[in-house]
Amino acid sequence: MPERAGLARLCQLNDSLPNESHRISTKLTKILVDRMETKNNPTGRLLDILVDVRSKADNQSARKVWASVFDCDPSNTGEILGSLADLIKLVAEAKDATVKFIPGDVTLFLAPFPKIESMLSRVHFDTVWQPSKAQLDDNTMSGLAFGNLALIPFYGKNALSEDLIAEFIAQLNELLQQCLASELPHELQNLFIKNLEALRHALMAYKISGARGLEAELDRAVGSLFRHHEEIKAASSDPHAKAYTTQVFDIISKLNDSVQFVQNAVLLAGPTANGIALLLNQLSS
């Protein structure tokens, strides 16, 4: 395909001009990034995040840079550290995908990772950003751009829009507020809050963890709710409680539909869908 041919030509050019590698500039990286409309593959998601962090001013503190990228409160060290942990997992996932899917010699595609790993292993929140940013040089970013281009054929091209993610987050926020104001038994309130909050976090971390991260959280949430289906069923004898649980299952179903769409799978065919069907059957019987 044209994209693969273009990639091969770029790799040949890079190999034939070893002394000119510094000329792979930010402009080239931007061209390669802008051409990719879908970043479902892990290297693409990593590239998007690092393009963002690289754009931050040298004199900002590392804490403010990472907080901005992850949409966290700069004072919330725990949340920033959690997102950095997810980012480190993404780096490992991107490396694994590179070795698994890209044919031939993958040296060029693996070359960016040592500097990225070095940067993430030496995070000092209250120092200026410039020393960390220096690790993300033009060659590192261009190598990631090549890797993103090479992995695209192996991943689906469907994607969740930022607007849809924001809409889901708003719906989960509303359900959390309704739960807190409800007269559900305390144990069920805690159950719904725990699972809705976890799904909300998975959506907020979508640019790092992608569809796999959201799918894993959906599977966990459905399993958790299914284990307590008797308590949920008993509480659903109250019309208000039943209406609320219906809303919860509805958004879980819609989230699952969205994940399956991204993964180019048959809608509602995976373990989460089966879990939802079993759960609804238990509650209606």
Side-chain angles (χ1 to χ4, degrees), residues 1-252:
M1 60 182 64
E3 289 178 343
R4 297 299 296 277
L7 173 65
R9 176 65 188 125
L10 286 168
C11 294
Q12 291 168 3
L13 179 62
N14 185 70
D15 291 341
S16 65
L17 298 174
N19 295 327
E20 300 296 326
S21 61
H22 63 281
R23 293 187 181 180
I24 302 177
S25 64
T26 304
K27 182 177 180 181
L28 173 58
T29 303
K30 186 175 187 302
I31 291 171
L32 290 172
V33 171
D34 287 347
R35 286 180 61 194
M36 304 303 106
E37 295 180 357
T38 302
K39 301 289 195 315
N40 286 335
N41 73 80
T43 298
R45 295 200 304 275
L46 179 61
L47 176 62
D48 284 345
I49 292 167
L50 295 185
V51 165
D52 191 6
V53 300
R54 196 181 188 222
S55 70
K56 306 304 180 184
D58 291 359
N59 61 355
Q60 284 195 53
S61 70
R63 175 185 294 275
K64 288 185 177 179
V65 168
W66 289 117
S68 173
V69 170
F70 297 138
D71 296 321
C72 299
D73 183 335
S75 65
N76 193 336
T77 302
E79 188 174 1
I80 300 172
L81 287 172
S83 295
L84 280 170
D86 289 339
L87 184 60
I88 291 169
K89 291 178 184 177
L90 177 60
V91 173
E93 185 183 349
K95 288 175 66 178
D96 289 346
T98 298
V99 174
K100 180 178 180 180
F101 293 114
I102 299 178
D105 185 357
V106 295
T107 303
L108 172 69
F109 305 105
L110 291 175
F113 291 104
K115 285 192 174 182
I116 296 169
E117 290 169 331
S118 175
M119 178 191 70
L120 292 175
S121 69
R122 296 178 176 86
V123 175
H124 301 288
F125 283 159
D126 298 317
T127 60
V128 294
W129 172 236
Q130 194 281 328
S132 295
K133 180 178 177 178
Q135 299 283 348
L136 304 177
D137 57 25
D138 290 343
N139 287 347
T140 298
M141 300 303 291
S142 295
L144 281 182
F146 294 154
N148 172 51
L149 182 60
L151 285 172
I152 283 176
F154 303 99
Y155 287 79
K157 291 191 174 182
N158 295 333
L160 292 187
S161 69
E162 291 185 6
D163 288 345
L164 183 57
I165 291 172
E167 182 180 334
F168 278 134
I169 291 173
Q171 290 178 29
L172 287 168
N173 286 338
E174 176 62 27
L175 285 171
L176 283 164
Q177 292 300 318
Q178 288 182 32
C179 188
L180 289 169
S182 73
E183 296 183 1
L184 285 168
H186 184 67
E187 294 78 7
L188 284 186
Q189 277 193 336
N190 288 340
L191 176 69
F192 283 124
I193 289 170
K194 177 184 72 175
N195 286 293
L196 293 173
E197 180 57 39
L199 289 171
R200 190 177 77 94
H201 175 76
L203 283 165
M204 294 179 71
Y206 189 85
K207 68 180 179 180
I208 304 175
S209 303
R212 284 188 180 181
L214 180 54
E215 180 185 39
E217 199 54 59
L218 281 165
D219 289 346
R220 192 206 59 75
V222 169
S224 173
L225 293 171
F226 185 76
R227 284 193 299 274
H228 295 85
H229 70 270
E230 291 292 349
E231 298 97 309
I232 295 172
K233 183 177 180 180
S236 295
S237 59
D238 176 79
H240 296 292
K242 186 172 183 178
Y244 179 76
T245 56
T246 299
Q247 291 181 72
V248 171
F249 299 143
D250 181 61
I251 195 169
I252 289 175

